[in-house]
């Protein structure tokens, strides 16, 4: 279960970084330098990612792993800031068969 929390934490960090790119490159006039704190205040609690294929706080079903068909689960993004063009999703896998692995 700790692996899931680690993966979710990394996912949220990557979403925040992606949104930071949007705010940093947008044509808005920014009077203050962009900081992590100012970015978090804009997106905190707004973006949600889920999958109808994976139950919350459970192991990823085998069909979405190398033990099964290695399929890509459907992801649902909610409350995405307008103007967002893309996301980056990377999963940290500390117990991969060949050692720590980053899925991206």
């Amino acid at each position: 279960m700790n692996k899931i929390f680690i993966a979710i934490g990394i996912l949220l960090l990557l979403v925040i970084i992606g949104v930071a790119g949007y705010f940093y490159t947008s044509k808005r006039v920014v009077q203050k330098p962009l900081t992590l704190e100012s970015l978090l205040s804009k997106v905190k609690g707004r973006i949600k990612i889920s999958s109808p294929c994976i139950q919350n706080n459970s192991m990823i079903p085998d069909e979405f792993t190398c033990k099964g068909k290695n399929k890509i689960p459907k992801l649902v993004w909610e409350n995405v800031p307008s103007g967002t063009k893309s996301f980056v999703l990377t999963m940290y896998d500390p117990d991969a068969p060949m050692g720590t692995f980053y899925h991206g």
Side-chain angles (χ1 to χ4, degrees), residues 19 43 45-49 76-82 84 87:
V19 173
V43 298
R46 290 176 47 193
I47 297 174
K48 179 181 177 185
I49 183 173
V76 178
W77 298 84
E78 298 178 47
N79 302 321
V80 177
S82 63
T84 300
F87 294 101

Side-chain angles (χ1 to χ4, degrees), residues 11-26 28 34 36 38-44 46-48 77-88:
L11 168 67
L12 290 174
L13 179 61
L14 291 172
V15 168
I16 290 168
I17 291 169
V19 173
Y22 162 74
F23 284 110
Y24 184 74
T25 60
S26 69
R28 298 178 189 185
L34 184 63
L36 181 58
S38 66
L39 175 64
L40 289 173
S41 71
K42 295 177 191 236
V43 298
K44 186 180 270 186
R46 290 176 47 193
I47 297 174
K48 179 181 177 185
W77 298 84
E78 298 178 47
N79 302 321
V80 177
S82 63
T84 300
K85 295 180 180 160
S86 63
F87 294 101
V88 173

Side-chain angles (χ1 to χ4, degrees), residues 2 4 7 30 37 39-40 43 59-60 101:
N2 287 336
I4 292 173
V30 179
E37 291 78 20
L39 175 64
L40 289 173
V43 298
M59 298 297 288
I60 297 173
F101 186 78

